[in-house]
Each structure stands twice: as C-alpha cells, then as structure tokens.
Amino acid sequence: MRPFEYQRADDAAGAVAAVAARPGARFLAGGTNLVDHLKLGIAAPDLLVDVSGLPLDTVEELPDGRVRVGAMVRNSDLAAHPLIRKRYPVLSEALLAGASGQLRNMATTGGNLLQGTRCLYFQDVTTPCNKREPGSGCSALEGYTRNHAILGASERCVAVHPSDMAVAMSALDADVVILGAAGGRTIPLTALHRLPGDEPDRDTLLEHGELITAVDLPPGTYSRSAYRKVRDRASYAFALVSVAAVVSMDDGGTIGDVRLALGGVAHKPWRAARAEDILRGAQPSEDNFRRAAEAELESASALGDNAFKIPMVRNTMVAVLRDLTGRPADV
C-alpha cells in the first residue's frame, strides 16, 4: 500500500487549485478506473481530491436548446434520463452497452471521458509499456493484438480507447466544459482525446489540474441515431468494434447530414470524416454505404491478430446506416 493524502473538495475552483498545485495529485470521482489502477500499482498519486460530492450532477436544458450534462452525473442516471432517451437515443444506447449495471451506477460522465486508453500489457506491470513507462517499449507490437488499433496507431502504442459514451458524444458533436487554474474553456469533444504519436502516455489535451465540469449536447432531437457494439460477450466487455451514427434525411430521400464515430479501433473515439463527406447528399444505397466505409478504412493497418476488424467495421457501419435510412439490404 502506497500512502497518499485524501481531500474532499468543497467547490470546483478549490479542487482545481489543490490538484494544480501538486504534480502528483489526481481527481477522484466514481473511481471505477482509478481505484483499479491504484490496486494494480499503475497509479501512485500522493493526493486524491474527491470531486464526487460537487453539485455537478444535473441534466438541464439551456436557453439556446443545448442540454448540459454535469460531470458528476452517473452513467445509469444519464442513460435513463427522459430528455436523453428522447433527444439523444444514441447516447442512451451507448451508455447501456458499457460495463455492468453496478459500474454504471458509480461511473460519472467526466470520469468516463477520462478513462485511460489501455490494453492488457498496460495493466501488467511486469511488461514494457510506453503508456506506463515512456520509452520502455510497446509489448503489444510483438504480442497479443486482437483488441488493438487499426487506425491512428503509432510504433509507441496500439491500444484503443475503451469508452462507449465518448463514441456517441463524438458523433453528436458534443462540447466539453473545462475549468482550470487559468479559468474556464470549452472545446469540442472530438478535440479532447489525442492519438498516441510520440507521447502515448498522454490520453487527452487537458493540462494538469484541469477538471471537466460538464458536457454540452447540441440542440435538436436526434431520433434517427443508433449505437451498435460488437464484442466477445453480451455484457461487461470492451468493444471490438462499435459504430455511433446520427443521420438526417432530405425531403427528396437523400442523406442530408450524417455523423459517424467508431470505437474499438483507435487510441481515441474515431470520427469517420471521410465516410461522412461521401454520404452527405448521396442516395442511401448499399453501394454508397460500402464506398464510404471503404474510404474511411483506406488508412487502416492490421497488426495480424486484429485483421478481422477491418471487414467488421465496414459491415457494422453498413448495417447501422441501412437501419437508420430505412434502406433494405441488397439481395
């Protein structure tokens, strides 16, 4: 057991100040990720600042039609919230696909976004891992790669981001509200997470001491949306591949707008921008769906054990788009 100090935050500004002042300090919310890492010896903070009691646990509609989700809203509560179920079904579906009921009851919105991108080698302290010990090497490159990245990876890290919720929020063009020692800022959720590059130990663009206080969902009702997750078992498993899709149709039957995000394939939720560009204004046909998926996968690179992910992404994306546009499967 490594000793650490514990402090319960009275307000968000005080929590930020406490963590920003100490390089070894960490925020503690639901603890579903951090506590595991403490037990495994991966994380060793000298101070934990508990933010779980802060009044950031509401879901409210803002005057401009956006919906603000407090960072301390529990995953179960968010998935069941009537406003979320009605306006953002893709988000509710993604949340219910994640973890287990017990974990969803504890996990928070902010904490879910900040889950560490990891693989089994990261969690095994006896193996080299650039995320855990920068410069030590990546054991996965010559090891077990079935669950690893096919997009955006580097020679330093091939792990994939585990969150289901973040994939859905990426497809919704959500914004993240952040408070730091220098003040507040808001960034697109698609800009929050980063690819590994030469610094795989950095999962996000947050500076030390910055705290997510809320997520803003866009105005409107996104009833033509869905989340599909392919995994090894029916529950309590990370995605091999997942697809979050939001579609709107023009009066003439063409695709007006489409937003696609992929999970289980990259170090961050992967926004499928190439596929979106091909599909906007196109007829909802099987050929167009496949063409869009193939364009997105042009830069995909398999590691051996995970080559199956490439056709799995294509087929899952096509199936979701077919369902959302009402297009029957080609015989």
Side-chain angles (χ1 to χ4, degrees):
M1 178 67 182
R2 297 185 181 182
F4 59 85
E5 295 178 46
Y6 172 85
Q7 183 180 122
R8 182 177 290 275
D10 295 321
D11 54 65
V16 166
V19 172
R22 289 176 63 167
R26 296 278 298 273
F27 295 114
L28 173 68
T32 57
N33 190 197
L34 178 57
V35 171
D36 279 347
H37 290 175
L38 289 171
K39 292 177 179 178
L40 291 169
I42 296 169
D46 57 25
L47 169 66
L48 287 181
V49 177
D50 189 344
V51 295
S52 62
L54 296 181
L56 302 171
D57 58 351
T58 59
V59 178
E60 58 179 332
E61 186 169 8
L62 302 179
D64 61 2
R66 290 176 299 150
V67 171
R68 175 158 291 179
V69 179
M72 295 305 125
V73 175
R74 306 289 174 170
N75 285 181
S76 291
D77 294 335
L78 186 59
H81 196 283
L83 193 57
I84 301 302
R85 293 177 62 189
K86 178 182 179 180
R87 290 178 53 174
Y88 313 101
V90 63
L91 178 54
S92 184
E93 291 173 14
L95 285 159
L96 293 173
S100 65
Q102 293 94 328
L103 287 173
R104 292 194 296 270
N105 287 341
M106 288 296 297
T108 63
T109 298
N112 188 293
L113 290 177
L114 297 179
Q115 290 182 81
T117 298
R118 58 197 185 272
C119 73
L120 58 89
Y121 297 104
F122 172 78
Q123 303 203 149
D124 180 355
V125 296
T126 67
T127 62
C129 172
N130 285 321
K131 289 187 68 63
R132 201 177 352 96
E133 297 179 31
S136 63
C138 176
S139 296
L141 289 175
E142 302 297 330
Y144 178 79
T145 57
R146 184 172 183 271
N147 298 320
H148 289 71
I150 57 172
L151 293 165
S154 76
E155 292 185 355
R156 303 293 180 89
C157 184
V158 292
V160 297
H161 188 72
S163 173
D164 295 287
M165 185 192 78
V167 178
M169 287 184 169
S170 178
L172 286 167
D173 279 337
D175 290 323
V176 182
V177 183
I178 300 162
L179 179 64
R185 62 181 178 129
T186 299
I187 63 171
L189 188 139
T190 52
L192 174 65
H193 302 97
R194 61 183 300 279
L195 295 176
D198 292 331
E199 295 181 288
D201 52 310
R202 291 191 63 204
D203 286 328
T204 74
L205 297 181
L206 294 183
E207 300 296 333
H208 179 69
E210 286 192 312
L211 174 70
I212 294 176
T213 59
V215 175
D216 286 349
L217 303 173
T221 298
Y222 299 86
S223 55
R224 199 186 286 259
S225 66
Y227 183 75
R228 185 166 299 186
K229 179 177 182 177
V230 183
R231 49 188 163 177
D232 284 328
R233 56 181 183 267
S235 67
Y236 198 52
F238 292 143
L240 293 171
V241 164
S242 66
V243 175
V246 177
V247 176
S248 63
M249 303 296 292
D250 287 337
D251 293 339
T254 59
I255 297 172
D257 192 20
V258 58
R259 301 177 215 166
L260 298 164
L262 309 177
V265 299
H267 204 260
K268 61 181 287 185
W270 186 269
R271 187 65 181 265
R274 291 184 182 180
E276 293 173 355
D277 289 343
I278 289 173
L279 291 169
R280 289 190 184 101
Q283 290 292 328
S285 68
E286 192 96 358
D287 284 346
N288 284 335
F289 298 156
R290 289 189 175 276
R291 184 164 61 89
E294 294 290 356
E296 192 61 46
L297 291 166
E298 282 182 1
S299 61
S301 177
L303 295 168
D305 294 342
N306 69 353
F308 70 92
K309 284 193 176 189
I310 295 176
M312 183 178 282
V313 170
R314 181 188 64 239
N315 294 339
T316 306
M317 190 185 299
V318 169
V320 171
L321 289 168
R322 184 194 301 138
D323 290 347
L324 291 180
T325 60
R327 174 75 184 181
D330 291 346
V331 178

